[in-house]
Structures are given as C-alpha cells and as structure tokens.
C-alpha cells in the first residue's frame, strides 16, 4: 500500500527560535518552508511580527506570508485550504513541506479539519459588547462558563475576541461551541506527519527572550511602522491585524489610550500571555514530540529525528 508523502510540523511559542531552527533544517534537508502564522500573512507588517527580512526570504523562501492587506481578515479555514494546496505542489516537486509557526489553531485546523460553526451575527455581537461595556469581560466570561464551561476553562477572562465568539455561537445555535467542535468530522490530510515542538525547559528564560525581542522591535522602528500602516490603510483596533500583540499596545499609546510609558511593559506582558496560550495548546491539544528550545543541541536532535523519519518514508 502506497504511503502518503511526508510532511513536518515545527511549532513553538513566540521567541522559541522556530524560524532559526527551520532555516537550519532547510540547509540540510530537501524541504520547503510553509509559514503557520496568522500575523505573517499581512503585508507591510514586518517589524512587529518578527517577519524574516528580504535577504532571509530570498535565501529561505516561505510560503503563505504577505498574502493580504492589513485591512483584510484571514481564517483558519482559508489557511487549511491554502496550506494543503501548497503542500501538494511541494510534494509534486519531490520536496518535503516543513510547516513552521506558532498559530496553534492553524495546526489543529490542518490536522483535524474544522467544524461548521454559525456565521457572525452583528446584533448578538452588539448585545455581548454592551454586556461587556456594562459589567466587564470577566463578567461575560462568567456567563460563558455557565453555558459552555469547557470553552471558558481554556480562555482567559479578558480574552474579549474569543469570549465574544464563543458566547455568540451559543446564543445563535443554542449549543456550546465545545460540543460543536467535538462533533466536527475529522478529515485527515493525505500526508504522513511528523510533529515537533520547541518548548522551553525554563519559562523565565523564554520571558527574557520575549522582552529582548520586543525591545529590539522598538529599536528597529516598530512605532514608525504602526504609524505608516495607519497612514497607508484604513484600519481600526477591531481588525485582526491590529489585534496582533504589540500592534494594539503601540496604537493605544499613540492615541493616548494608555500612557506611553506603559506601552513596552504591556506589549511584553501580552506577548508572554500569547506564549502561555501557545504552550497550553501544544501540551493539551497538539502534543508534538518535545524538544527544549533553550538547549543548544536541540537542532542536532531534531535533525536526527527528521533524518530517521524521512528514511522511513
């Protein structure tokens, strides 16, 4: 029986060194890189997303970056379709897709497919926003916990976007989002996957990396980048692009919504919270083979694992 072509997934939290590891692997194996990052799909958002620069991209081309304007939205369903199309083209060239990134929902969508969920209902969203304005998002989170405890348990009490969507789904359908997702049909892609995860053995060191990278972004002109984006495009804080960590905090500081002296700390805190969610996804849902991103020998260990995997395929 003919085996499916191989594909490699390399996932990890922000600042875990995924891009550097992927490029190291691309120098040694017949792979093509496919980005799994909901921020890198946006054009002109380079500094705050830690997007590889033009020289790097010329040496190590990445599929699925710079796809859309910051005025547009990109979904997990679209990612799955785009990724499977690109992976098929890579396999036809007798290369191996190496999917690298930190958007864990995209990895899950690729592997498991997506359940059919109700479309957005502006009236119900307005009701939920009014409830949040009156009582705060923790109170809305408590309401979600009453009707969908499984979803509420994995969301932070201030994760407004996801709380709103989960409660909206319940109010539209009468069913908890957790049940609808569990009932979705799993459609396995036609690939033999090796799933690898870069995880920190010590959270404090990862937090130091996050702070250093945010400072480097500010030094590279992150604030100017946000100003340029606001001048070039018609943007708002409600758009997915401006909900990316860092961008919201810079925007709010520019508009005086938060004190400018708090911008750095808030951006770093938001990035740390993102990393925490990514690690939780990996541990509880995706469960890749773990490798310590703080270990200098991790690339060699990953390389040996990939060599053995490709030899089997």
């Amino acid at each position: 029986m003919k085996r499916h072509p191989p594909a490699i997934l390399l996932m990890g939290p922000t600042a875990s060194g995924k891009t550097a590891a992927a490029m190291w692997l691309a120098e040694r194996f017949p792979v093509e890189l496919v980005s799994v990052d909901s921020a890198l799909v946006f054009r002109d958002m380079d500094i705050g997303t830690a997007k590889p620069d033009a020289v790097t991209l010329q040496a190590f081309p990445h599929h699925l970056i710079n796809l859309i304007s910051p005025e547009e939205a990109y979904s997990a369903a679209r990612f799955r379709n785009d990724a499977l199309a690109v992976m098929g083209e890579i396999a036809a060239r007798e290369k191996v897709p190496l999917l690298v990134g930190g958007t864990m929902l995209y990895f899950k969508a690729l592997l498991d497919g997506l359940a059919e969920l109700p479309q957005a209902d502006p009236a119900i969203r307005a009701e939920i926003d009014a409830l949040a304005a009156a009582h705060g998002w923790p109170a809305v989170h408590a309401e979600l916990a009453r009707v969908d405890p499984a979803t509420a348990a994995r969301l932070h009490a201030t994760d407004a976007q996801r709380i709103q969507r989960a409660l909206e789904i319940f109010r539209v359908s009468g069913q908890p989002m957790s049940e609808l997702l569990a009932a979705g049909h799993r459609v396995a892609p036609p690939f033999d996957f090796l799933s690898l995860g870069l995880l920190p053995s010590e959270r404090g060191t990862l937090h130091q990396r996050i702070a250093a990278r945010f400072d480097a972004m500010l030094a590279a002109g992150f604030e100017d980048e946000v100003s340029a984006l606001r001048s070039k495009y018609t943007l708002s804080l409600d758009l997915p692009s401006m909900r990316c960590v860092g961008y919201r905090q810079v925007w709010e500081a520019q508009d005086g919504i938060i004190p400018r002296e708090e911008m750095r700390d808030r951006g770093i805190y938001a990035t740390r919270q993102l990393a925490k969610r990514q690690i939780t996804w990996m541990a509880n849902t995706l469960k890749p083979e773990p490798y310590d991103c703080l270990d200098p020998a991790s690339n060699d260990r990953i390389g040996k694992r990939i060599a053995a995997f490709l030899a089997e395929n």
Side-chain angles (χ1 to χ4, degrees), residues 177-215:
M177 185 173 77
S178 56
E179 292 183 6
L180 292 174
L181 291 174
H185 296 294
R186 180 185 175 108
V187 181
F191 288 88
D192 184 12
F193 286 102
L194 172 64
S195 184
L196 308 172
L198 292 172
L199 287 162
S201 54
E202 206 284 306
R203 293 282 183 97
T205 304
L206 182 68
H207 293 167
Q208 292 171 10
R209 284 189 179 186
I210 288 170
R213 189 167 78 166
F214 198 83
D215 286 338

Side-chain angles (χ1 to χ4, degrees), residues 78-113:
R78 180 174 169 186
F79 167 79
R80 188 176 197 270
N81 291 335
D82 289 348
L84 287 174
V86 166
M87 292 168 69
E89 294 168 1
I90 294 171
R93 291 191 284 270
E94 298 187 345
K95 296 290 188 69
V96 178
L98 172 55
L99 291 92
V100 55
T103 302
M104 304 305 166
L105 176 61
Y106 285 9
F107 280 116
K108 186 177 188 302
L110 175 66
L111 294 170
D112 294 350

Side-chain angles (χ1 to χ4, degrees), residues 209-241:
R209 284 189 179 186
I210 288 170
R213 189 167 78 166
F214 198 83
D215 286 338
M217 290 174 178
L218 293 174
F222 188 14
E223 294 175 82
D224 291 338
E225 177 175 271
V226 175
S227 297
L229 288 166
R230 298 179 69 177
S231 297
K232 183 174 181 178
Y233 300 102
T234 303
L235 301 175
S236 75
L237 285 175
D238 294 329
L239 286 170
S241 60

Side-chain angles (χ1 to χ4, degrees), residues 7-54:
I8 302 163
L9 308 181
L10 180 63
M11 61 190 73
T14 185
S16 60
K18 299 180 296 295
T19 300
M23 293 189 296
W24 187 90
L25 294 169
E27 290 179 326
R28 291 161 175 80
F29 296 98
V31 300
E32 292 189 31
L33 304 183
V34 182
S35 171
V36 186
D37 191 306
S38 60
L40 295 188
V41 299
F42 296 112
R43 292 189 292 271
D44 296 325
M45 291 175 57
D46 302 328
I47 297 172
T49 62
K51 187 179 295 177
D53 61 28

Side-chain angles (χ1 to χ4, degrees), residues 91-172:
R93 291 191 284 270
E94 298 187 345
K95 296 290 188 69
V96 178
L98 172 55
L99 291 92
V100 55
T103 302
M104 304 305 166
L105 176 61
Y106 285 9
F107 280 116
K108 186 177 188 302
L110 175 66
L111 294 170
D112 294 350
L114 291 163
E116 289 293 329
L117 298 177
Q119 292 188 347
D121 186 312
I124 289 178
R125 287 197 169 188
E127 292 175 4
I128 297 170
D129 285 339
L131 178 64
H135 302 288
W137 282 106
V140 183
H141 183 263
E143 170 66 13
L144 177 64
R146 187 180 66 82
V147 299
D148 187 357
T151 299
R154 64 178 179 81
L155 298 180
H156 191 274
T158 57
D159 192 348
Q161 178 188 357
R162 292 177 177 84
I163 293 170
Q164 180 195 61
R165 178 58 176 153
L167 190 55
E168 173 193 39
I169 287 169
F170 177 79
R171 292 187 176 186
V172 170

Side-chain angles (χ1 to χ4, degrees), residues 198-309:
L198 292 172
L199 287 162
S201 54
E202 206 284 306
R203 293 282 183 97
T205 304
L206 182 68
H207 293 167
Q208 292 171 10
R209 284 189 179 186
I210 288 170
R213 189 167 78 166
F214 198 83
D215 286 338
M217 290 174 178
L218 293 174
F222 188 14
E223 294 175 82
D224 291 338
E225 177 175 271
V226 175
S227 297
L229 288 166
R230 298 179 69 177
S231 297
K232 183 174 181 178
Y233 300 102
T234 303
L235 301 175
S236 75
L237 285 175
D238 294 329
L239 286 170
S241 60
M242 293 299 106
R243 289 200 297 264
C244 292
V245 293
Y247 286 89
R248 171 177 289 275
Q249 288 75 29
V250 171
W251 178 305
E252 290 178 341
Q254 289 178 343
D255 281 8
I257 299 171
I258 63 172
R260 192 182 184 287
E261 58 269 20
E262 294 182 11
M263 177 190 69
R264 173 187 178 273
D265 288 345
R266 288 190 182 219
I268 291 170
Y269 177 77
T271 310
R272 286 172 58 171
Q273 291 299 109
L274 170 62
K276 182 179 178 181
R277 292 194 299 271
Q278 291 168 317
I279 291 169
T280 299
W281 264 93
M282 292 170 68
N284 296 344
T285 303
L286 296 169
K287 300 178 180 177
E289 296 179 19
Y291 291 84
D292 183 6
C293 65
L294 306 180
D295 181 358
S298 64
N299 282 352
D300 286 327
R301 293 193 175 99
I302 290 172
K304 289 177 182 176
R305 180 67 182 93
I306 289 175
F309 171 72

